[in-house]
């Protein structure tokens, strides 16, 4: 499946990246512009839903950002409009959701021939996810065991092992430092698809292997995709979708059932 995120600044088709069942095929958005970030986030959910039958995809959305009426209405619109299973999860239920998803990942790994719907775990505001912040005694790469793992363990294991069995993470963090409060230093490589906005040059080197993100204008972003090493695509992120647009897409998808 593809995630569609914006319009290119050169003459070509819309900017998109492909989620395949391979390690590292997770998506991270990094940038301080919340409107652009959440706009890309919502558009990705809709674009993924449009590519799957209702029974073939499941979405878990965890919103760590607190009170924001516009965002809350947009997430509610996704849940109500799309024919797919969409759960908007408060942070207090994070452990339950991570345990449920990790059990699914473990079961599919054990089966060796995994099947079932694609699963997307979506995190809005990863930099505010206090329960995911790692302590010094948490080791990245620990063998998955959902019965004994805490939220940082579970998130890291899903990030690492999920894509190969059809479970992908899509997340947004304001800046690289906030992202690294959650991730082990080796874990950013598990986000093979990176959508970055204007940032400090040092952070740009960490995320896209060069200074390009430090030179972006406020309403532009870059797509870095490890499937296309050495290639950066500059694009205009899609506008923040309206509730009416989300509802219209939902009606169209329901009509196809």
């Amino acid at each position: 499946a593809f995630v569609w995120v914006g319009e290119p600044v050169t003459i070509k088709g819309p900017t998109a990246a492909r989620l395949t069942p391979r390690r590292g095929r997770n998506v991270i958005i990094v940038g301080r512009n919340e409107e652009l970030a959440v706009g890309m986030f919502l558009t990705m959910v809709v674009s993924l839903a449009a590519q799957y039958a209702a029974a073939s995809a499941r979405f878990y959305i965890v919103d760590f950002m607190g009170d924001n009426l516009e965002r809350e209405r947009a997430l509610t619109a996704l849940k109500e409009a799309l024919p797919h299973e969409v759960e908007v999860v408060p942070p207090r239920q994070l452990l339950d959701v991570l345990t449920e998803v990790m059990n699914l990942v473990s079961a599919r790994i054990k089966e060796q021939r995994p099947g079932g719907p694609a699963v997307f775990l979506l995190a809005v505001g990863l930099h505010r996810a206090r329960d995911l912040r790692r302590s010094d005694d948490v080791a990245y790469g620990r063998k998955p065991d959902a019965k004994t793992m805490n939220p940082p363990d579970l998130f890291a294991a899903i990030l690492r092992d999920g894509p190969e069995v059809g479970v992908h993470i899509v997340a947004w963090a304001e800046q690289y430092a906030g992202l690294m409060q959650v991730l082990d230093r080796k874990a950013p490589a598990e986000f093979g698809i990176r959508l970055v906005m204007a940032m400090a040059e040092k952070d740009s080197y960490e995320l896209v292997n060069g200074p390009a993100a430090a030179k972006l204008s406020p309403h532009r972003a870059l797509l870095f995709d490890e499937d296309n090493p050495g290639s950066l695509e500059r694009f205009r992120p899609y506008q923040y979708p309206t509730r009416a647009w989300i509802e219209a897409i939902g009606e169209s998808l329901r009509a196809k059932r």
Side-chain angles (χ1 to χ4, degrees):
F2 288 88
V3 286
W4 307 92
V5 293
E7 295 291 343
V9 296
T10 58
I11 300 175
K12 62 177 291 295
T15 299
R18 190 176 184 185
L19 292 178
T20 54
R22 290 189 295 105
R23 182 169 176 172
R25 301 312 284 170
N26 300 294
V27 184
I28 186 69
I29 303 168
V30 183
R32 290 182 177 274
N33 189 322
E34 181 177 345
E35 183 176 356
L36 284 186
V38 178
M40 283 191 281
F41 191 95
L42 296 170
T43 304
M44 280 193 281
V45 175
V46 174
S47 69
L48 287 167
Q51 297 171 74
Y52 288 96
S56 298
R58 188 183 309 159
F59 300 88
Y60 298 90
I61 305 174
V62 188
D63 184 4
F64 296 103
M65 289 300 291
D67 293 339
N68 180 299
L69 188 58
E70 182 181 18
R71 189 185 61 257
E72 290 175 1
R73 285 175 174 172
L75 295 177
T76 299
L78 287 177
K79 178 178 176 63
E80 294 176 351
L82 297 179
H84 306 72
E85 182 180 343
V86 179
E87 292 190 32
V88 180
V89 183
R92 65 179 179 274
Q93 294 179 11
L94 177 65
L95 179 58
D96 293 339
V97 169
L98 291 177
T99 301
E100 179 180 341
V101 175
M102 187 66 238
N103 284 335
L104 175 65
V105 170
S106 298
R108 290 184 177 183
I109 291 173
K110 186 175 182 180
E111 291 169 4
Q112 294 186 343
R113 296 176 62 87
V119 175
F120 301 97
L121 176 61
L122 305 112
V124 184
L126 205 56
H127 52 285
R128 292 193 180 178
R130 295 183 180 276
D131 289 343
L132 290 179
R133 292 179 182 176
R134 307 182 67 82
S135 60
D136 292 338
D137 60 346
V138 174
Y140 180 76
R142 184 179 298 175
K143 185 177 179 180
D145 180 359
K147 294 181 180 179
T148 60
M149 297 168 80
N150 58 29
D153 283 330
L154 291 164
F155 188 84
I158 295 166
L159 185 69
R160 181 186 63 243
D161 300 327
E164 291 183 297
V165 293
V167 179
H168 304 270
I169 290 178
V170 178
W172 163 53
E174 274 193 345
Q175 55 186 329
Y176 181 73
L179 179 64
M180 295 311 295
Q181 288 181 326
V182 172
L183 301 180
D184 179 272
R185 60 184 178 83
K186 298 179 181 178
E190 304 296 346
F191 285 107
I193 301 169
R194 302 170 197 169
L195 305 165
V196 302
M197 291 172 270
M199 60 182 58
E201 186 172 298
K202 180 181 178 182
D203 292 347
S204 179
Y205 271 96
E206 294 286 356
L207 289 165
V208 300
N209 300 332
K215 303 175 182 178
L216 285 171
S217 60
H219 298 286
R220 297 290 184 270
L222 288 173
L223 166 62
F224 171 90
D225 189 341
E226 289 193 341
D227 272 4
N228 299 294
S231 175
L232 283 176
E233 183 175 342
R234 189 160 57 99
F235 67 96
R236 293 183 294 271
Y238 288 129
Q239 292 183 346
Y240 200 105
T242 64
R243 184 183 183 95
W245 182 81
I246 293 172
E247 290 174 346
I249 296 295
E251 289 179 7
S252 176
L253 295 178
R254 289 180 185 278
K256 295 179 181 179
R257 295 178 65 179

